[in-house]
Amino acid sequence: MAQSKILVCGVGLIGGSFALALKKSALALRRDLQVVGMGRTRAPLDQSLRLGVIDAIATDWASALDGADLVLLGMPVGQMPAVMSALAPHLQPHTIVTDGGSTKSDVVAAARATLGGKIGQFVPGHPIAGAEKSGVAAAQSDLYVGKRVVLTPLPENSPGDVKAVCAAWELCGATVSRLAPEEHDRVFAA
């Protein structure tokens, strides 16, 4: 993983655990990594900073995405369309976006509607992990160890971008598999 700046939008259990796991891996690999957090309200971001989950707080999309290699959308699925719409004008050509949403068809539809020609930079994902508690205080660096993450790549995704997202989840300790978005939703609905 060559990323040096990761943006986590939504620093609760899913996003916070992703950040902690990547920071732990970067430390073990002796790599420089900056994790920036962004969210709707300030209190969880301040708490994330105090807990060492993130290294900095971004308050606007332009600075948040400046130099970002990877973005994880860690908010509930219903909030993703508005977030994607807000980030789209500032998305740099080299930045890859992924998500932790539990459904994929609706997330992909939102990405297609908001990202336009940048849709190839969005690699949908679904970590099959959780905990009894939520929020950043419940985040764990080992939440994804031995857990499955399902990627649902799009035809527009480059093999390199899919590989980069896969590598990030593997650094978190996850086992990565792939499904089509529609197949994912059928499997998990059953």
Side-chain angles (χ1 to χ4, degrees), residues 26-44:
L27 186 64
L29 296 170
R30 295 191 172 134
R31 293 192 179 161
D32 187 33
L33 175 68
Q34 180 189 31
V35 179
V36 176
M38 193 161 175
R40 288 185 308 155
T41 57
R42 184 67 188 217

Side-chain angles (χ1 to χ4, degrees), residues 27-95:
L27 186 64
L29 296 170
R30 295 191 172 134
R31 293 192 179 161
D32 187 33
L33 175 68
Q34 180 189 31
V35 179
V36 176
M38 193 161 175
R40 288 185 308 155
T41 57
R42 184 67 188 217
L45 294 168
D46 288 337
Q47 184 180 17
S48 297
L49 193 59
R50 278 193 310 275
L51 293 172
V53 173
I54 59 174
D55 303 309
I57 296 171
T59 56
D60 65 275
W61 285 108
S63 63
L65 290 167
D66 185 31
D69 298 293
L70 180 65
V71 178
L72 174 72
L73 302 179
M75 75 285 304
V77 169
Q79 296 174 12
M80 287 191 193
V83 170
M84 290 177 181
S85 181
L87 74 81
H90 308 284
L91 189 57
Q92 298 178 349
H94 74 280
T95 305

Side-chain angles (χ1 to χ4, degrees), residues 102-103 182-190:
S102 59
T103 56
E182 300 77 17
E183 184 180 7
H184 167 278
D185 290 352
R186 275 194 308 274
V187 168
F188 286 93

Side-chain angles (χ1 to χ4, degrees), residues 4-170:
S4 59
K5 181 179 177 182
I6 307 291
L7 173 63
V8 177
C9 185
V11 291
L13 175 67
I14 297 299
S17 295
F18 184 78
L20 287 173
L22 287 181
K23 288 177 78 166
K24 183 177 178 181
S25 291
L27 186 64
L29 296 170
R30 295 191 172 134
R31 293 192 179 161
D32 187 33
L33 175 68
Q34 180 189 31
V35 179
V36 176
M38 193 161 175
R40 288 185 308 155
T41 57
R42 184 67 188 217
L45 294 168
D46 288 337
Q47 184 180 17
S48 297
L49 193 59
R50 278 193 310 275
L51 293 172
V53 173
I54 59 174
D55 303 309
I57 296 171
T59 56
D60 65 275
W61 285 108
S63 63
L65 290 167
D66 185 31
D69 298 293
L70 180 65
V71 178
L72 174 72
L73 302 179
M75 75 285 304
V77 169
Q79 296 174 12
M80 287 191 193
V83 170
M84 290 177 181
S85 181
L87 74 81
H90 308 284
L91 189 57
Q92 298 178 349
H94 74 280
T95 305
I96 306 166
V97 180
T98 191
D99 75 303
S102 59
T103 56
K104 297 281 65 101
S105 296
D106 53 346
V107 172
V108 169
R112 288 192 184 287
T114 58
L115 297 179
K118 299 176 183 179
I119 187 66
Q121 293 173 248
F122 177 65
V123 181
H126 176 199
I128 316 301
E132 292 177 19
K133 296 182 180 179
S134 61
V136 69
Q140 310 163 37
S141 65
D142 62 350
L143 180 69
Y144 303 112
V145 173
K147 301 294 187 335
R148 182 159 309 279
V149 171
V150 180
L151 297 184
T152 58
L154 306 174
E156 297 90 346
N157 293 144
S158 75
D161 285 357
V162 174
K163 185 177 178 182
V165 173
C166 183
W169 283 114
E170 287 173 344

